[in-house]
Amino acid sequence: MRKTRLHFGVWCLVTLFLLTFFPGLALAEEKPAVSLEQAIRIAKENFNIPSEYSNFNSSYDNYENRQVWFLNWESTQEPRGTFNVQVDATGEIIFMNHWKAEPYPETGPQLPVISETQAQDIATQLLSRLAPNKATSLRLVPNDFEVIPLRQYGPVTYNFRWERVVNGMVFIGDGAHISVRGDDGQVSNYSLNWTKANFPALTGVISPVKAQETFETTGMLELQYQLISDFRPLRAGEKPRVILVYRLNHPSNGVIDATTGEPLTLEPGQWLRNQNGDYGAGGAGELMGKSGAQEQAATPLSPEELKEIERTAGLISQEEAMATVKKWVDLPDTLTLRSAHLGTESQFSESRFWNLSWNAEKPETGKLEYVSARVDAHSGELMGFNLSYTSQEPRQFGRIDQAAAKKMAEKFLQQVQPERFSAVELDKRNQQNWRPLAKGEPNPPYYYFNYRRLVNGIPYPGNGIHITVDTVEQRITQFDVNWQNPEFPSAAGCLGQQLANDVFLKKQPLTLAYTLVYGSTGPGDVKLVYLPVAAPNQLVSDVLDARTGEFLDWQGKPLSQQPRAYHFTDIAGHFAEKEISLLAQAGIFGEYGDTFRPDEAITVVSLLRAMLQVSQGNWGISDLTDQEILKRAKEMKWLEEGELTPAGAITRENLAKLMIRLLGMDRAARIEGIYQVPYTDATALSPGLLGYASLTWGLEIIRGTGDTFDPNHVMTRAEAAVVLVRTLRAKA
């Protein structure tokens, strides 16, 4: 869990934001219904504020028709800490955050003392006490898959969220959040978001069937190519991977007006609140031209170096790149070349571009002040530029309308990039300024047009052309071509549109709900809408794999493969149930899904994977192969070369060594002549094992069978889980 740390300074930033975008809020001078003294007493009656937090200050704000006291207590000495409380005009606490500096652990993770169930009881009791009149309209949102990591520093924190229900419908964005520390059961964060509004009656509302029909017929899900982002460096000659996906791609973002049955369209400057309540180097050309025949004869080059030389052969010079720019941009003599850089871009190592920039020594009003441009070093094509003019005040309205601006943009693109322009389409779904003007409304000073690439008739949003038209001076001020050549898979074998819709809506069905519309003047009307809402305990996103129908993350990986908490169905009443459940909440030992198989022998790779997860976190570990796990374990000094095999069983002797190495005590365990153990089979222990057996006994990690150590005993998964948790407690 991520611990919330909100300092008083953040409140100031939030207040500044509100006053900047909602200036009318600053005009209210109503006297607060609750005095500062009353607000302080309310806060101290409901929370135990540490006495060492002796530095106190307050502020008062009236925003969104809500009067709120901001109370802040701080410690004046180490360890530092803050206690923040917000009390509104009714005397209701709407926010609390307690942050304190945690000492950096000398050893390892801090294991929770209280369970998730106990934490939920604490949170529920607090909610009932602070908001008794609202608690009955709040519904706990289940999240059984949320991982509760075993933190290296800071306690385990349990987070709970409630959503507000009005007339049986969820009110998007309203609700409560509570965080409970796992070490002492103290509430570290509380927030209540509650809007006073008029809610439309549930009359004249379209049916879910009609809403789904709108979702399908308006093409909310679109088949697209997606470039896979990967932190892993690409191998020599390897190209980034492109996959086919269905993506939720519509200006309404899947939201349908429940009264009209049409996709919800908002006016410019409006937005909807989300479910969390948020508002939302010179000289390179010369270097290339030098002959290195003598150096090449004297110094052998590697295959990779030779390939790079081959890739850069035939590139245009800096002077040729500059000539390309001057062909399309009128560069006055007042501009001076400031930088020229030749290099690659993005993940495509075969690409080479000249990046050039000029600026004026003495800027003149209305004249070019800065120019940057990009030229393909292979083909000599102009791939983009940005023209910056010194501003003229006051700024005028546009002299041409959108149609004329579009005509100007497309005429330019047909000249400078004719082949690529023939392979793009205007993206009206996410088009800035793409709307009809109201009668009498002046043209904006700029129009922005975004053209996305089509491959095999399928959109590839990762590539395209962006262009900006200055409608005052009637000129192109910016354009950019983003274009790579990965391998595009065929669409054969993809899910059909209807099946994709069915898969998408099965796990996040269109749900009738209330939502609040925000605008430049603050909160607006509440609307009844249908929108995709994840079914309980479903891992979903806005992207589906077009072949498998699996929901994907931003890296194109199935969400089902992401770390998640487990709720094993075969451990009830088992002696190791408590320890197994703790590791399950942290997303560990999930090889068999929601079964643990406690009495099965633990394998080497399963235990090592679990050790890596508790020491390095879940992310990136689940994707490692068995051999990669062994390699990582050797790098951690947990394994010696040839000591164990991935599928091999773990004996008690093996387990003792691994746990001591996890604790970083291997060197101490190897010291001879200083250890003893209370085992009757001590004299039969393998050479060098005595130190490990003694330390694990003394740290209460492994106690053998009582009288004997029995080093060859094959450990079960349940026994290994218990020992691993004991080791983590020893680290803590």
Side-chain angles (χ1 to χ4, degrees):
M1 295 299 96
R2 183 172 58 193
K3 180 169 65 178
T4 303
R5 298 183 176 184
L6 185 63
H7 296 278
F8 184 70
V10 177
W11 299 356
C12 297
L13 291 176
V14 172
T15 302
L16 180 62
F17 170 85
L18 291 168
L19 295 182
T20 300
F21 289 94
F22 309 137
L25 303 179
L27 302 177
E29 296 183 356
E30 299 179 27
K31 182 179 179 180
V34 172
S35 69
L36 174 59
E37 179 181 352
Q38 290 172 314
I40 295 172
R41 292 186 182 278
I42 290 170
K44 299 185 75 170
E45 287 170 359
N46 284 282
F47 297 109
N48 181 24
I49 301 170
S51 58
E52 60 268 25
Y53 291 12
S54 56
N55 185 26
F56 174 75
N57 55 61
S58 68
S59 64
Y60 168 79
D61 279 301
N62 189 336
Y63 65 94
E64 296 179 12
N65 299 318
R66 195 168 203 176
Q67 303 171 50
V68 178
W69 284 106
F70 291 71
L71 313 176
N72 178 56
W73 289 264
E74 284 186 283
S75 61
T76 57
Q77 54 190 350
E78 299 298 335
R80 304 303 298 240
T82 60
F83 205 104
N84 312 131
V85 180
Q86 296 176 19
V87 182
D88 73 5
T90 67
E92 185 172 53
I93 294 174
I94 59 174
F95 178 85
M96 183 280 290
N97 178 262
H98 182 198
W99 172 82
K100 59 183 178 180
E102 303 289 345
Y104 189 84
E106 296 180 359
T107 50
Q110 300 184 34
L111 302 186
V113 175
I114 66 169
S115 68
E116 184 177 23
T117 300
Q118 292 171 313
Q120 182 177 322
D121 290 342
I122 293 170
T124 302
Q125 291 172 17
L126 177 69
L127 184 62
S128 297
R129 188 176 83 241
L130 296 184
N133 298 326
K134 298 180 173 66
T136 55
S137 298
L138 292 171
R139 180 170 62 196
L140 183 65
V141 179
N143 194 3
D144 293 343
F145 290 163
E146 188 173 14
V147 174
I148 302 175
L150 305 176
R151 293 178 179 273
Q152 283 295 114
Y153 34 94
V156 165
T157 301
Y158 300 103
N159 293 321
F160 306 96
R161 181 171 74 89
W162 287 260
E163 58 189 8
R164 182 180 177 184
V165 178
V166 180
N167 299 329
M169 304 292 112
V170 173
F171 182 23
I172 301 297
D174 265 18
H177 292 75
I178 299 178
S179 299
V180 180
R181 291 171 61 110
D183 57 345
D184 57 12
Q186 295 296 309
V187 175
S188 59
N189 183 266
Y190 168 85
S191 64
L192 177 69
N193 199 20
W194 201 270
T195 306
K196 294 181 180 179
N198 295 319
F199 293 89
L202 301 178
T203 56
V205 174
I206 64 171
S207 67
V209 173
K210 173 61 178 175
Q212 182 166 339
E213 180 183 330
T214 299
F215 185 94
E216 295 172 352
T217 57
T218 53
M220 298 284 190
L221 284 184
E222 182 182 53
L223 183 64
Q224 298 180 352
Y225 284 109
Q226 176 176 309
L227 180 68
I228 299 301
S229 300
D230 200 335
F231 292 119
R232 175 183 62 83
L234 296 177
R235 302 181 182 91
E238 182 182 9
K239 286 188 176 182
R241 190 164 61 97
V242 170
I243 63 173
L244 279 158
V245 302
Y246 278 99
R247 182 185 302 276
L248 182 60
N249 185 37
H250 192 272
S252 69
N253 202 32
V255 181
I256 298 166
D257 190 309
T259 55
T260 68
E262 299 296 324
L264 182 65
T265 56
L266 301 175
E267 296 298 323
Q270 290 185 327
W271 66 92
L272 298 179
R273 192 170 54 176
N274 64 25
Q275 295 189 40
N276 292 321
D278 300 330
Y279 298 114
E286 180 184 355
L287 181 63
M288 285 171 51
K290 289 183 178 179
S291 171
Q294 293 181 349
E295 288 81 359
Q296 291 174 15
T299 306
L301 302 180
S302 69
E304 290 75 17
E305 292 165 338
L306 291 171
K307 287 180 181 178
E308 177 66 7
I309 292 172
E310 182 181 343
R311 281 194 292 262
T312 58
L315 300 183
I316 66 172
S317 67
Q318 176 181 316
E319 289 71 23
E320 290 172 309
M322 292 170 61
T324 296
V325 178
K326 292 177 180 180
K327 177 182 177 181
W328 299 103
V329 179
D330 184 13
L331 293 176
D333 294 337
T334 55
L335 295 184
T336 302
L337 182 69
R338 290 301 182 186
S339 69
H341 173 73
L342 175 65
T344 62
E345 290 182 2
S346 69
Q347 304 176 59
F348 296 83
S349 59
E350 73 276 8
S351 63
R352 291 293 188 279
F353 295 92
W354 278 107
N355 288 281
L356 310 164
S357 66
W358 295 260
N359 71 292
E361 294 287 349
K362 296 180 180 180
E364 299 178 38
T365 301
K367 301 295 184 180
L368 266 176
E369 180 180 8
Y370 174 82
V371 173
S372 64
R374 188 164 56 98
V375 178
D376 189 311
H378 286 285
S379 66
E381 296 174 283
L382 182 64
M383 302 299 286
F385 62 64
N386 184 44
L387 311 182
S388 177
Y389 295 83
T390 53
S391 61
Q392 301 184 62
E393 298 296 345
R395 187 60 176 163
Q396 303 174 33
F397 293 119
R399 296 173 182 169
I400 58 176
D401 60 15
Q402 186 180 66
K406 179 173 177 287
K407 183 177 180 180
M408 178 183 293
E410 295 188 346
K411 179 180 179 181
F412 173 78
L413 294 177
Q414 286 167 349
Q415 294 173 336
V416 70
Q417 282 285 348
E419 184 176 344
R420 290 191 173 95
F421 184 64
S422 66
V424 298
E425 68 173 5
L426 183 65
D427 184 6
K428 293 186 178 181
R429 295 185 178 219
N430 299 296
Q431 189 68 39
Q432 297 185 62
N433 303 130
W434 195 259
R435 63 178 180 87
L437 297 177
K439 185 176 181 180
E441 183 180 358
N443 291 307
Y446 294 98
Y447 271 113
Y448 310 91
F449 302 97
N450 187 57
Y451 297 84
R452 58 182 186 172
R453 182 179 178 184
L454 296 176
V455 180
N456 303 323
I458 299 170
Y460 178 40
N463 278 186
I465 305 174
H466 180 82
I467 188 166
T468 303
V469 178
D470 181 333
T471 61
V472 179
E473 301 298 336
Q474 302 180 48
R475 60 194 174 193
I476 309 297
T477 59
Q478 185 269 342
F479 105 98
D480 180 71
V481 179
N482 181 22
W483 209 276
Q484 298 90 30
N485 292 300
E487 295 179 0
F488 292 95
S490 166
C494 288
L495 303 177
Q497 183 74 49
Q498 185 59 54
L499 183 55
N501 287 330
D502 293 343
V503 171
F504 186 89
L505 295 177
K506 181 179 180 180
K507 288 197 174 182
Q508 42 185 343
L510 291 172
T511 303
L512 186 62
Y514 288 109
T515 189
L516 185 64
V517 178
Y518 266 75
S520 58
T521 58
D525 297 329
V526 173
K527 286 185 173 291
L528 264 170
V529 298
Y530 280 95
L531 75 167
V533 175
N537 296 319
Q538 294 293 331
L539 299 174
V540 298
S541 69
D542 287 345
V543 182
L544 287 176
D545 187 307
R547 299 187 188 282
T548 66
E550 290 197 78
F551 285 92
L552 305 177
D553 65 11
W554 65 276
Q555 288 183 286
K557 296 181 179 179
L559 292 181
S560 60
Q561 296 178 11
Q562 285 190 351
R564 69 173 181 89
Y566 296 96
H567 299 271
F568 298 128
T569 59
D570 56 350
I571 61 172
H574 198 280
F575 77 87
E577 179 181 2
K578 181 179 179 181
E579 290 83 0
I580 295 172
S581 296
L582 175 64
L583 296 172
Q585 286 183 327
I588 300 171
F589 284 126
E591 300 96 318
Y592 303 127
D594 287 319
T595 59
F596 182 74
R597 305 184 187 181
D599 299 321
E600 182 179 293
I602 186 77
T603 63
V604 170
V605 72
S606 179
L607 179 60
L608 291 177
R609 192 182 298 273
M611 291 168 61
L612 286 170
Q613 287 174 308
V614 300
S615 62
Q616 299 181 359
N618 278 311
W619 291 97
I621 302 301
S622 59
D623 293 337
L624 297 179
T625 65
D626 291 357
Q627 292 303 322
E628 288 171 331
I629 290 289
L630 256 65
K631 180 182 178 182
R632 189 78 65 90
K634 291 172 184 175
E635 293 171 352
M636 300 288 291
K637 307 298 183 184
W638 295 342
L639 275 186
E640 295 180 352
E641 192 66 39
E643 190 172 20
L644 296 170
T645 59
I650 293 284
T651 64
R652 184 171 284 130
E653 174 179 338
N654 302 143
L655 190 60
K657 289 182 177 180
L658 289 172
M659 294 303 102
I660 292 302
R661 291 168 183 170
L662 178 60
L663 292 171
M665 300 175 66
D666 187 63
R667 184 177 179 184
R670 292 175 182 271
I671 300 175
E672 298 182 358
I674 64 171
Y675 293 109
Q676 60 181 9
V677 290
Y679 298 128
T680 57
D681 59 352
T683 57
L685 297 181
S686 303
L689 182 59
L690 184 61
Y692 298 98
S694 179
L695 288 173
T696 52
W697 185 90
L699 293 170
E700 299 183 355
I701 295 174
I702 298 176
R703 287 294 177 91
T705 59
D707 294 334
T708 62
F709 185 75
D710 192 6
N712 295 319
H713 169 72
V714 175
M715 305 298 292
T716 66
R717 289 170 58 84
E719 291 170 332
V722 171
V723 168
L724 182 56
V725 171
R726 289 176 181 173
T727 303
L728 296 178
R729 296 196 188 282
K731 284 175 69 71

